[in-house]
Amino acid sequence: MRLPVFYFRILEVIALTNNILFVDHLEKYFFTYQGIVKAVDGISFFIKEGETFGLVGESGSGKSTVAYTVVGMYRPTKGKIIYKGDKDISQDSRKRPLAIKKEIQIVYQDPGTSLNPSMTIKDILELPLKVHNISKNHEDRIKKVKELLEMVQLPVSYTYKYPSMIGGGEKQMVAIARALATNPSFVLLDEPTSALDVSVQAKLINMLIQFQKKFKLSYLFITHDLSLMRNVASRVAIMYLGKLCEIAPSSEFFKNPLHPYTQMLLSSIPVISDEEEALKPKKIISKGEIPSPVNIPPGCSFHFRCHKKMDICSCEDPIITEVNEGHTVRCHLYTK
Ligand code: SF4
């Protein structure tokens, strides 16, 4: 991948500043009988303390693989993950210090599978307290479990229920309570609302925003729902076939989307106000579907679907260009 010199300088500066997370040229490849799956293919981004960084992409774009690699479930094929400015956490979770594991938590998409059905809610919430030695004794842990349930607005009477005895939204509240039990600094939210009803989604998002303020949390919010990011994320990144197409502050992102893929996604999301309608790109008909990551097309991987495709696009992979401050795009249209 060819990158301009200034891009490396930006990355050096970013690595030295006190961000909660810096992902540097991260690659995660899977070696299968069908071929090499480049799920994450050389991406770099940073997340500032206290911000919500939205990572958006279709199914198969590699966004969840990014989350699982950052949290330590996968070991990177190449590249670095730096936590709080100077802690290299690129190794898998078995080698991570317990103190770092305590600070980085994850909420999964499907609470139905992320909560052990054979454990009571008390056992589920008590486990991280035991592992991280947070409470002094059993009474102290029970008290903390009840506080966690109250924090996510669930009745204390749920303490001895099993996950199968409560609703989907309530299960996700338990999953959030479990993530916050260790008093983390950084939480990865992997499509936390996509399995829930719309009314529950709004409640959960409001809760996450309140917790962020109260506990000074930083979020990596992964979703396929771009409209959700308008009110939640401080910065938004778009991922396609393992690569980042565009990163921008939210205000700039929704006013001035540059990458043809971003424009295509934004043109198809529903809006509720005239102001949002005015900012929406003209309708672009979505062509095709995301190809298999085993057979990534040469050149720009989006060229089969792109409404602005040029001759160069099918043979040369575009470089990342910074178009405005903090607004980067990977497309030949913006290469000087
Ligand atoms: Fe479209 Fe070419 Fe830009 Fe890729 S590089 S998004 S094919 S214009």
Side-chain angles (χ1 to χ4, degrees):
M1 183 176 70
R2 186 164 56 85
L3 288 169
V5 173
F6 78 82
Y7 185 71
F8 288 105
R9 292 215 188 99
I10 291 169
L11 291 183
E12 279 166 22
V13 171
I14 287 165
L16 294 172
T17 55
N18 206 16
N19 293 304
I20 193 97
L21 191 81
F22 174 51
V23 169
D24 184 14
H25 294 90
L26 183 70
E27 289 178 3
K28 180 61 198 168
Y29 294 177
F30 296 98
F31 298 89
T32 69
Y33 288 116
Q34 285 79 32
I36 300 173
V37 177
K38 296 181 177 180
V40 178
D41 196 10
I43 68 166
S44 299
F45 64 89
F46 63 92
I47 300 178
K48 296 182 214 161
E49 297 251 10
E51 84 165 338
T52 298
F53 184 78
L55 184 58
V56 184
E58 292 171 277
S59 298
S61 59
K63 55 193 190 310
S64 290
T65 307
V66 174
Y68 300 157
T69 312
V70 169
V71 89
M73 287 163 63
Y74 295 147
R75 190 186 184 154
T77 306
K78 221 171 165 188
K80 285 203 179 312
I81 305 166
I82 308 293
Y83 179 64
K84 287 195 171 169
D86 59 0
K87 297 173 188 68
D88 187 341
I89 56 163
S90 312
Q91 68 277 58
D92 65 40
S93 71
R94 281 168 300 177
K95 294 184 187 146
R96 276 188 194 177
L98 206 56
I100 300 257
K101 286 188 191 175
K102 180 174 172 274
E103 289 191 23
I104 302 177
Q105 294 293 324
I106 184 165
V107 176
Y108 298 95
Q109 177 177 1
D110 183 1
T113 52
S114 74
L115 303 180
N116 187 334
S118 65
M119 290 168 80
T120 62
I121 288 166
K122 177 205 88 112
D123 294 337
I124 290 168
L125 295 180
E126 208 183 14
L127 189 58
L129 303 175
K130 281 183 185 165
V131 169
H132 295 285
N133 216 6
I134 289 171
S135 301
K136 294 188 281 290
N137 51 41
H138 180 69
E139 286 71 40
D140 205 25
R141 280 196 297 275
I142 295 296
K143 187 170 164 252
K144 179 80 177 151
V145 164
K146 290 184 174 166
E147 283 170 10
L148 286 166
L149 284 174
E150 279 169 1
M151 185 183 77
V152 293
Q153 297 172 17
L154 290 177
V156 171
S157 58
Y158 279 23
T159 307
Y160 294 98
K161 283 186 190 278
Y162 287 89
S164 59
M165 298 161 80
I166 63 174
E170 291 174 327
K171 283 187 202 137
Q172 196 61 306
M173 302 298 182
V174 173
I176 291 171
R178 177 178 61 183
L180 298 186
T182 63
N183 198 16
S185 305
F186 178 48
V187 182
L188 295 102
L189 302 162
D190 184 17
E191 306 237 26
T193 58
S194 63
L196 309 178
D197 292 340
V198 178
S199 58
V200 183
Q201 284 182 15
K203 184 178 171 192
L204 194 136
I205 293 288
N206 284 335
M207 213 178 255
L208 287 170
I209 293 171
Q210 280 172 22
F211 292 152
Q212 183 172 41
K213 285 188 196 140
K214 190 168 171 191
F215 303 120
K216 300 191 174 20
L217 299 170
S218 310
Y219 289 150
L220 170 57
F221 199 125
I222 290 172
T223 181
H224 63 271
D225 184 356
L226 195 47
S227 55
L228 189 62
M229 290 296 98
R230 196 188 292 272
N231 301 316
V232 173
S234 351
R235 288 183 303 126
V236 182
I238 296 288
M239 193 160 183
Y240 187 80
L241 274 180
K243 291 181 177 166
L244 293 178
C245 306
E246 184 162 8
I247 305 179
S250 294
S251 50
E252 162 103 2
F253 182 89
F254 287 98
K255 265 190 217 146
N256 186 26
L258 297 177
H259 196 281
Y261 180 51
T262 312
Q263 292 168 352
M264 187 179 97
L265 293 176
L266 279 173
S267 81
S268 59
I269 62 172
V271 292
I272 48 170
S273 69
D274 292 343
E275 193 194 341
E276 287 173 359
E277 185 62 45
L279 294 174
K280 196 171 152 178
K282 270 200 301 196
K283 180 75 190 159
I284 300 162
I285 305 293
S286 170
K287 278 200 285 180
E289 284 185 16
I290 194 162
S292 159
V294 183
N295 283 315
I296 295 179
C300 169
S301 53
F302 185 61
H303 79 260
F304 281 121
R305 302 174 71 190
C306 182
H307 61 288
K308 292 188 177 165
K309 180 188 161 184
M310 303 173 287
D311 288 345
I312 188 175
C313 302
S314 52
C315 49
E316 208 174 298
D317 196 9
I319 59 168
I320 295 167
T321 310
E322 187 173 46
V323 181
N324 290 320
E325 196 182 337
H327 190 167
T328 54
V329 62
R330 181 192 198 95
C331 173
H332 287 303
L333 292 167
Y334 306 95
T335 312
K336 293 173 186 100

